[in-house]
Amino acid sequence: MSRPQIQAFFDADTNTVSYIVTDPASRHCAIIDPVLNYAAQSGHTRYDGAQRIVDAVRDQQLTVDWLLETHVHADHLSAAPWIQQQLGGKLAIGEHIRTVQDTFGRIFNAGSEFARDGRQFDHLFRDGETYTVGNMEARAIHTPGHTPACMSHVIRDAVFVGDTLFMPDYGTARCDFPGGDARTLYRSIQKLLALPDATRMFLCHDYLPEGREELVWETTVAEQRKHNIHVHEGTSEDTFVSMREARDATLDMPRLILPSVQVNMRAGHLPPAEDNGVRYLKIPLNTLGAISSRVTTDEER
């Protein structure tokens, strides 16, 4: 069986990597975690990064089967609905999006017009569910801990893990968002580390830890098992939980969590326009995290 062809698109403002995953035989593809450019200072949105993905799909004459969100991102807004308008495909996320929608629907006081049953998405994946990208079989794995709805996607010899793991020299996702849990994350990571050693692992971010100068977003299961600084082979669950909870207690909220979550819980759709024709994002005061003198610009600094 041929391996999927994988193209990565890096967004420097949010340190996010989006992917086109193509079946070389059928020329069908999936798009994973696309980014909508958002200027927090002005509230303006742009489609520069999304347009790069659309252009690549059109240039290669690909057919989009899926637009996959690995979770409700807290560091960037999703461009999936806009790309779907240009290219088609089914927009999908894990079925536990309902938990996230219920939690953040209350935090943002979204009202009864905001459905909390996941209907904004075309498909909600169950743990272990199989699907196809062209002729390639794929499998969704529920990997909560960072958020309740995190899903990893195994497509032949590749796995896309969202924020569950970072590069081995950077570690693992934070677990202090509403619904996050360090013990749950440890158990989710064990599912990923049980995949074959040679499985290519593609990450949603790279933050260039001290001592490394080159951005990298691909590793392997074997490399994570041997070298991940937070959860390498031999790290016990209790040791990991103690480390992760202590580390999370020092972190402020990500720079874009408030705009990101209230858009992404709607499958990337902006909130409905009000009676003056303008869309608004809410800023709940004194609700998430603690006030800090530091500025955290990513999910796990």
PDB file of all heavy atoms in Angstrom, residues 14-44:
ATOM      1  N   THR A  14       0.598  31.893  14.884  1.00  0.00           N
ATOM      2  CA  THR A  14       0.089  31.010  15.941  1.00  0.00           C
ATOM      3  C   THR A  14       0.931  29.748  16.108  1.00  0.00           C
ATOM      4  O   THR A  14       0.581  28.886  16.918  1.00  0.00           O
ATOM      5  CB  THR A  14      -1.365  30.584  15.641  1.00  0.00           C
ATOM      6  OG1 THR A  14      -1.397  29.846  14.417  1.00  0.00           O
ATOM      7  CG2 THR A  14      -2.266  31.804  15.529  1.00  0.00           C
ATOM      8  N   ASN A  15       2.021  29.634  15.365  1.00  0.00           N
ATOM      9  CA  ASN A  15       2.873  28.437  15.412  1.00  0.00           C
ATOM     10  C   ASN A  15       2.090  27.160  15.120  1.00  0.00           C
ATOM     11  O   ASN A  15       2.388  26.087  15.657  1.00  0.00           O
ATOM     12  CB  ASN A  15       3.574  28.305  16.761  1.00  0.00           C
ATOM     13  CG  ASN A  15       4.640  29.357  16.976  1.00  0.00           C
ATOM     14  OD1 ASN A  15       4.340  30.479  17.369  1.00  0.00           O
ATOM     15  ND2 ASN A  15       5.885  29.009  16.685  1.00  0.00           N
ATOM     16  N   THR A  16       1.092  27.268  14.258  1.00  0.00           N
ATOM     17  CA  THR A  16       0.225  26.140  13.931  1.00  0.00           C
ATOM     18  C   THR A  16       0.604  25.529  12.594  1.00  0.00           C
ATOM     19  O   THR A  16       0.920  26.237  11.647  1.00  0.00           O
ATOM     20  CB  THR A  16      -1.249  26.602  13.869  1.00  0.00           C
ATOM     21  OG1 THR A  16      -1.609  27.172  15.119  1.00  0.00           O
ATOM     22  CG2 THR A  16      -2.179  25.442  13.555  1.00  0.00           C
ATOM     23  N   VAL A  17       0.525  24.199  12.531  1.00  0.00           N
ATOM     24  CA  VAL A  17       0.756  23.480  11.286  1.00  0.00           C
ATOM     25  C   VAL A  17      -0.551  22.848  10.829  1.00  0.00           C
ATOM     26  O   VAL A  17      -1.208  22.123  11.588  1.00  0.00           O
ATOM     27  CB  VAL A  17       1.824  22.379  11.449  1.00  0.00           C
ATOM     28  CG1 VAL A  17       2.227  21.823  10.080  1.00  0.00           C
ATOM     29  CG2 VAL A  17       3.048  22.915  12.173  1.00  0.00           C
ATOM     30  N   SER A  18      -0.947  23.146   9.597  1.00  0.00           N
ATOM     31  CA  SER A  18      -2.105  22.520   8.958  1.00  0.00           C
ATOM     32  C   SER A  18      -1.588  21.559   7.900  1.00  0.00           C
ATOM     33  O   SER A  18      -0.458  21.696   7.418  1.00  0.00           O
ATOM     34  CB  SER A  18      -2.993  23.578   8.292  1.00  0.00           C
ATOM     35  OG  SER A  18      -3.333  24.606   9.195  1.00  0.00           O
ATOM     36  N   TYR A  19      -2.425  20.596   7.512  1.00  0.00           N
ATOM     37  CA  TYR A  19      -1.964  19.550   6.599  1.00  0.00           C
ATOM     38  C   TYR A  19      -2.976  19.278   5.494  1.00  0.00           C
ATOM     39  O   TYR A  19      -4.190  19.361   5.709  1.00  0.00           O
ATOM     40  CB  TYR A  19      -1.735  18.242   7.360  1.00  0.00           C
ATOM     41  CG  TYR A  19      -0.663  18.321   8.420  1.00  0.00           C
ATOM     42  CD1 TYR A  19      -1.004  18.549   9.757  1.00  0.00           C
ATOM     43  CD2 TYR A  19       0.681  18.185   8.099  1.00  0.00           C
ATOM     44  CE1 TYR A  19      -0.028  18.625  10.741  1.00  0.00           C
ATOM     45  CE2 TYR A  19       1.669  18.254   9.071  1.00  0.00           C
ATOM     46  CZ  TYR A  19       1.302  18.481  10.392  1.00  0.00           C
ATOM     47  OH  TYR A  19       2.270  18.560  11.359  1.00  0.00           O
ATOM     48  N   ILE A  20      -2.435  18.923   4.323  1.00  0.00           N
ATOM     49  CA  ILE A  20      -3.198  18.234   3.285  1.00  0.00           C
ATOM     50  C   ILE A  20      -2.656  16.817   3.241  1.00  0.00           C
ATOM     51  O   ILE A  20      -1.447  16.612   3.075  1.00  0.00           O
ATOM     52  CB  ILE A  20      -3.051  18.880   1.903  1.00  0.00           C
ATOM     53  CG1 ILE A  20      -3.542  20.336   1.909  1.00  0.00           C
ATOM     54  CG2 ILE A  20      -3.809  18.080   0.847  1.00  0.00           C
ATOM     55  CD1 ILE A  20      -3.287  21.064   0.588  1.00  0.00           C
ATOM     56  N   VAL A  21      -3.535  15.833   3.405  1.00  0.00           N
ATOM     57  CA  VAL A  21      -3.150  14.422   3.395  1.00  0.00           C
ATOM     58  C   VAL A  21      -3.815  13.778   2.188  1.00  0.00           C
ATOM     59  O   VAL A  21      -5.042  13.707   2.111  1.00  0.00           O
ATOM     60  CB  VAL A  21      -3.596  13.716   4.689  1.00  0.00           C
ATOM     61  CG1 VAL A  21      -3.075  12.288   4.726  1.00  0.00           C
ATOM     62  CG2 VAL A  21      -3.134  14.496   5.916  1.00  0.00           C
ATOM     63  N   THR A  22      -2.995  13.314   1.246  1.00  0.00           N
ATOM     64  CA  THR A  22      -3.508  12.889  -0.053  1.00  0.00           C
ATOM     65  C   THR A  22      -3.276  11.407  -0.294  1.00  0.00           C
ATOM     66  O   THR A  22      -2.184  10.871  -0.016  1.00  0.00           O
ATOM     67  CB  THR A  22      -2.822  13.680  -1.179  1.00  0.00           C
ATOM     68  OG1 THR A  22      -3.060  15.082  -0.971  1.00  0.00           O
ATOM     69  CG2 THR A  22      -3.348  13.279  -2.553  1.00  0.00           C
ATOM     70  N   ASP A  23      -4.293  10.748  -0.803  1.00  0.00           N
ATOM     71  CA  ASP A  23      -4.152   9.388  -1.324  1.00  0.00           C
ATOM     72  C   ASP A  23      -3.587   9.499  -2.737  1.00  0.00           C
ATOM     73  O   ASP A  23      -4.263   9.993  -3.642  1.00  0.00           O
ATOM     74  CB  ASP A  23      -5.518   8.702  -1.349  1.00  0.00           C
ATOM     75  CG  ASP A  23      -5.480   7.350  -2.060  1.00  0.00           C
ATOM     76  OD1 ASP A  23      -4.388   6.776  -2.190  1.00  0.00           O
ATOM     77  OD2 ASP A  23      -6.557   6.891  -2.488  1.00  0.00           O
ATOM     78  N   PRO A  24      -2.345   9.056  -2.975  1.00  0.00           N
ATOM     79  CA  PRO A  24      -1.735   9.240  -4.299  1.00  0.00           C
ATOM     80  C   PRO A  24      -2.437   8.471  -5.406  1.00  0.00           C
ATOM     81  O   PRO A  24      -2.339   8.844  -6.578  1.00  0.00           O
ATOM     82  CB  PRO A  24      -0.300   8.752  -4.099  1.00  0.00           C
ATOM     83  CG  PRO A  24      -0.333   7.883  -2.899  1.00  0.00           C
ATOM     84  CD  PRO A  24      -1.419   8.414  -2.022  1.00  0.00           C
ATOM     85  N   ALA A  25      -3.169   7.415  -5.053  1.00  0.00           N
ATOM     86  CA  ALA A  25      -3.842   6.608  -6.075  1.00  0.00           C
ATOM     87  C   ALA A  25      -5.105   7.284  -6.590  1.00  0.00           C
ATOM     88  O   ALA A  25      -5.344   7.368  -7.798  1.00  0.00           O
ATOM     89  CB  ALA A  25      -4.170   5.224  -5.522  1.00  0.00           C
ATOM     90  N   SER A  26      -5.921   7.811  -5.682  1.00  0.00           N
ATOM     91  CA  SER A  26      -7.213   8.380  -6.082  1.00  0.00           C
ATOM     92  C   SER A  26      -7.183   9.885  -6.257  1.00  0.00           C
ATOM     93  O   SER A  26      -8.104  10.462  -6.824  1.00  0.00           O
ATOM     94  CB  SER A  26      -8.270   8.016  -5.037  1.00  0.00           C
ATOM     95  OG  SER A  26      -8.006   8.697  -3.815  1.00  0.00           O
ATOM     96  N   ARG A  27      -6.150  10.547  -5.672  1.00  0.00           N
ATOM     97  CA  ARG A  27      -6.039  12.012  -5.650  1.00  0.00           C
ATOM     98  C   ARG A  27      -7.139  12.641  -4.805  1.00  0.00           C
ATOM     99  O   ARG A  27      -7.524  13.785  -5.012  1.00  0.00           O
ATOM    100  CB  ARG A  27      -6.029  12.610  -7.062  1.00  0.00           C
ATOM    101  CG  ARG A  27      -5.007  11.999  -8.009  1.00  0.00           C
ATOM    102  CD  ARG A  27      -3.599  12.039  -7.433  1.00  0.00           C
ATOM    103  NE  ARG A  27      -3.098  13.411  -7.276  1.00  0.00           N
ATOM    104  CZ  ARG A  27      -2.050  13.729  -6.514  1.00  0.00           C
ATOM    105  NH1 ARG A  27      -1.403  12.781  -5.821  1.00  0.00           N
ATOM    106  NH2 ARG A  27      -1.645  14.980  -6.435  1.00  0.00           N
ATOM    107  N   HIS A  28      -7.639  11.893  -3.832  1.00  0.00           N
ATOM    108  CA  HIS A  28      -8.539  12.436  -2.836  1.00  0.00           C
ATOM    109  C   HIS A  28      -7.716  12.802  -1.599  1.00  0.00           C
ATOM    110  O   HIS A  28      -6.644  12.226  -1.357  1.00  0.00           O
ATOM    111  CB  HIS A  28      -9.623  11.429  -2.468  1.00  0.00           C
ATOM    112  CG  HIS A  28     -10.705  11.317  -3.489  1.00  0.00           C
ATOM    113  ND1 HIS A  28     -12.041  11.451  -3.190  1.00  0.00           N
ATOM    114  CD2 HIS A  28     -10.648  11.089  -4.842  1.00  0.00           C
ATOM    115  CE1 HIS A  28     -12.766  11.299  -4.287  1.00  0.00           C
ATOM    116  NE2 HIS A  28     -11.946  11.070  -5.294  1.00  0.00           N
ATOM    117  N   CYS A  29      -8.219  13.740  -0.810  1.00  0.00           N
ATOM    118  CA  CYS A  29      -7.425  14.220   0.320  1.00  0.00           C
ATOM    119  C   CYS A  29      -8.295  14.605   1.501  1.00  0.00           C
ATOM    120  O   CYS A  29      -9.525  14.730   1.404  1.00  0.00           O
ATOM    121  CB  CYS A  29      -6.569  15.420  -0.106  1.00  0.00           C
ATOM    122  SG  CYS A  29      -7.507  16.943  -0.410  1.00  0.00           S
ATOM    123  N   ALA A  30      -7.624  14.800   2.631  1.00  0.00           N
ATOM    124  CA  ALA A  30      -8.209  15.404   3.829  1.00  0.00           C
ATOM    125  C   ALA A  30      -7.387  16.635   4.185  1.00  0.00           C
ATOM    126  O   ALA A  30      -6.159  16.653   3.974  1.00  0.00           O
ATOM    127  CB  ALA A  30      -8.209  14.420   4.991  1.00  0.00           C
ATOM    128  N   ILE A  31      -8.038  17.641   4.701  1.00  0.00           N
ATOM    129  CA  ILE A  31      -7.372  18.849   5.198  1.00  0.00           C
ATOM    130  C   ILE A  31      -7.538  18.865   6.713  1.00  0.00           C
ATOM    131  O   ILE A  31      -8.642  18.684   7.228  1.00  0.00           O
ATOM    132  CB  ILE A  31      -7.982  20.114   4.569  1.00  0.00           C
ATOM    133  CG1 ILE A  31      -7.738  20.116   3.051  1.00  0.00           C
ATOM    134  CG2 ILE A  31      -7.405  21.371   5.205  1.00  0.00           C
ATOM    135  CD1 ILE A  31      -8.519  21.185   2.307  1.00  0.00           C
ATOM    136  N   ILE A  32      -6.419  19.073   7.419  1.00  0.00           N
ATOM    137  CA  ILE A  32      -6.435  18.966   8.876  1.00  0.00           C
ATOM    138  C   ILE A  32      -6.039  20.292   9.510  1.00  0.00           C
ATOM    139  O   ILE A  32      -4.999  20.868   9.183  1.00  0.00           O
ATOM    140  CB  ILE A  32      -5.490  17.841   9.349  1.00  0.00           C
ATOM    141  CG1 ILE A  32      -5.906  16.497   8.736  1.00  0.00           C
ATOM    142  CG2 ILE A  32      -5.466  17.747  10.871  1.00  0.00           C
ATOM    143  CD1 ILE A  32      -4.994  15.340   9.100  1.00  0.00           C
ATOM    144  N   ASP A  33      -6.874  20.802  10.402  1.00  0.00           N
ATOM    145  CA  ASP A  33      -6.605  21.960  11.272  1.00  0.00           C
ATOM    146  C   ASP A  33      -6.196  23.230  10.507  1.00  0.00           C
ATOM    147  O   ASP A  33      -5.166  23.845  10.807  1.00  0.00           O
ATOM    148  CB  ASP A  33      -5.531  21.602  12.309  1.00  0.00           C
ATOM    149  CG  ASP A  33      -6.003  20.585  13.320  1.00  0.00           C
ATOM    150  OD1 ASP A  33      -7.223  20.503  13.548  1.00  0.00           O
ATOM    151  OD2 ASP A  33      -5.152  19.869  13.894  1.00  0.00           O
ATOM    152  N   PRO A  34      -7.013  23.686   9.547  1.00  0.00           N
ATOM    153  CA  PRO A  34      -6.664  24.925   8.832  1.00  0.00           C
ATOM    154  C   PRO A  34      -6.896  26.164   9.684  1.00  0.00           C
ATOM    155  O   PRO A  34      -7.790  26.190  10.550  1.00  0.00           O
ATOM    156  CB  PRO A  34      -7.612  24.906   7.623  1.00  0.00           C
ATOM    157  CG  PRO A  34      -8.803  24.151   8.120  1.00  0.00           C
ATOM    158  CD  PRO A  34      -8.269  23.095   9.053  1.00  0.00           C
ATOM    159  N   VAL A  35      -6.102  27.212   9.434  1.00  0.00           N
ATOM    160  CA  VAL A  35      -6.077  28.417  10.271  1.00  0.00           C
ATOM    161  C   VAL A  35      -6.719  29.602   9.541  1.00  0.00           C
ATOM    162  O   VAL A  35      -6.429  29.859   8.371  1.00  0.00           O
ATOM    163  CB  VAL A  35      -4.626  28.775  10.648  1.00  0.00           C
ATOM    164  CG1 VAL A  35      -4.564  30.092  11.410  1.00  0.00           C
ATOM    165  CG2 VAL A  35      -3.998  27.658  11.466  1.00  0.00           C
ATOM    166  N   LEU A  36      -7.575  30.317  10.264  1.00  0.00           N
ATOM    167  CA  LEU A  36      -8.097  31.603   9.822  1.00  0.00           C
ATOM    168  C   LEU A  36      -7.229  32.690  10.444  1.00  0.00           C
ATOM    169  O   LEU A  36      -7.064  32.741  11.667  1.00  0.00           O
ATOM    170  CB  LEU A  36      -9.550  31.772  10.273  1.00  0.00           C
ATOM    171  CG  LEU A  36     -10.209  33.135  10.022  1.00  0.00           C
ATOM    172  CD1 LEU A  36     -10.389  33.385   8.536  1.00  0.00           C
ATOM    173  CD2 LEU A  36     -11.541  33.221  10.753  1.00  0.00           C
ATOM    174  N   ASN A  37      -6.664  33.562   9.626  1.00  0.00           N
ATOM    175  CA  ASN A  37      -5.843  34.655  10.162  1.00  0.00           C
ATOM    176  C   ASN A  37      -6.738  35.659  10.888  1.00  0.00           C
ATOM    177  O   ASN A  37      -7.771  36.078  10.365  1.00  0.00           O
ATOM    178  CB  ASN A  37      -5.089  35.362   9.034  1.00  0.00           C
ATOM    179  CG  ASN A  37      -4.187  34.411   8.264  1.00  0.00           C
ATOM    180  OD1 ASN A  37      -4.453  34.095   7.118  1.00  0.00           O
ATOM    181  ND2 ASN A  37      -3.132  33.935   8.906  1.00  0.00           N
ATOM    182  N   TYR A  38      -6.311  36.031  12.098  1.00  0.00           N
ATOM    183  CA  TYR A  38      -7.114  36.927  12.933  1.00  0.00           C
ATOM    184  C   TYR A  38      -6.199  37.937  13.609  1.00  0.00           C
ATOM    185  O   TYR A  38      -5.216  37.558  14.264  1.00  0.00           O
ATOM    186  CB  TYR A  38      -7.874  36.124  13.990  1.00  0.00           C
ATOM    187  CG  TYR A  38      -8.585  36.967  15.015  1.00  0.00           C
ATOM    188  CD1 TYR A  38      -9.735  37.672  14.677  1.00  0.00           C
ATOM    189  CD2 TYR A  38      -8.114  37.061  16.320  1.00  0.00           C
ATOM    190  CE1 TYR A  38     -10.397  38.454  15.611  1.00  0.00           C
ATOM    191  CE2 TYR A  38      -8.770  37.831  17.260  1.00  0.00           C
ATOM    192  CZ  TYR A  38      -9.902  38.525  16.910  1.00  0.00           C
ATOM    193  OH  TYR A  38     -10.553  39.293  17.840  1.00  0.00           O
ATOM    194  N   ALA A  39      -6.500  39.224  13.434  1.00  0.00           N
ATOM    195  CA  ALA A  39      -5.742  40.298  14.071  1.00  0.00           C
ATOM    196  C   ALA A  39      -6.482  40.724  15.330  1.00  0.00           C
ATOM    197  O   ALA A  39      -7.537  41.385  15.245  1.00  0.00           O
ATOM    198  CB  ALA A  39      -5.575  41.466  13.113  1.00  0.00           C
ATOM    199  N   ALA A  40      -5.952  40.364  16.483  1.00  0.00           N
ATOM    200  CA  ALA A  40      -6.651  40.644  17.735  1.00  0.00           C
ATOM    201  C   ALA A  40      -6.778  42.142  17.993  1.00  0.00           C
ATOM    202  O   ALA A  40      -7.752  42.590  18.608  1.00  0.00           O
ATOM    203  CB  ALA A  40      -5.898  39.983  18.887  1.00  0.00           C
ATOM    204  N   GLN A  41      -5.812  42.927  17.512  1.00  0.00           N
ATOM    205  CA  GLN A  41      -5.848  44.361  17.787  1.00  0.00           C
ATOM    206  C   GLN A  41      -7.016  45.051  17.090  1.00  0.00           C
ATOM    207  O   GLN A  41      -7.607  45.998  17.624  1.00  0.00           O
ATOM    208  CB  GLN A  41      -4.543  45.022  17.329  1.00  0.00           C
ATOM    209  CG  GLN A  41      -3.296  44.470  18.004  1.00  0.00           C
ATOM    210  CD  GLN A  41      -2.682  43.325  17.239  1.00  0.00           C
ATOM    211  OE1 GLN A  41      -3.383  42.553  16.577  1.00  0.00           O
ATOM    212  NE2 GLN A  41      -1.370  43.208  17.323  1.00  0.00           N
ATOM    213  N   SER A  42      -7.365  44.582  15.886  1.00  0.00           N
ATOM    214  CA  SER A  42      -8.403  45.248  15.101  1.00  0.00           C
ATOM    215  C   SER A  42      -9.681  44.433  14.960  1.00  0.00           C
ATOM    216  O   SER A  42     -10.728  44.966  14.561  1.00  0.00           O
ATOM    217  CB  SER A  42      -7.874  45.548  13.693  1.00  0.00           C
ATOM    218  OG  SER A  42      -7.603  44.329  12.996  1.00  0.00           O
ATOM    219  N   GLY A  43      -9.619  43.126  15.248  1.00  0.00           N
ATOM    220  CA  GLY A  43     -10.771  42.261  15.046  1.00  0.00           C
ATOM    221  C   GLY A  43     -10.984  41.859  13.599  1.00  0.00           C
ATOM    222  O   GLY A  43     -12.034  41.296  13.264  1.00  0.00           O
ATOM    223  N   HIS A  44      -9.988  42.092  12.736  1.00  0.00           N
ATOM    224  CA  HIS A  44     -10.121  41.739  11.320  1.00  0.00           C
ATOM    225  C   HIS A  44      -9.701  40.284  11.088  1.00  0.00           C
ATOM    226  O   HIS A  44      -8.761  39.783  11.712  1.00  0.00           O
ATOM    227  CB  HIS A  44      -9.265  42.665  10.451  1.00  0.00           C
ATOM    228  CG  HIS A  44      -9.888  44.005  10.222  1.00  0.00           C
ATOM    229  ND1 HIS A  44     -10.699  44.292   9.155  1.00  0.00           N
ATOM    230  CD2 HIS A  44      -9.835  45.146  10.961  1.00  0.00           C
ATOM    231  CE1 HIS A  44     -11.111  45.537   9.218  1.00  0.00           C
ATOM    232  NE2 HIS A  44     -10.594  46.084  10.315  1.00  0.00           N
TER     233      HIS A  44
END
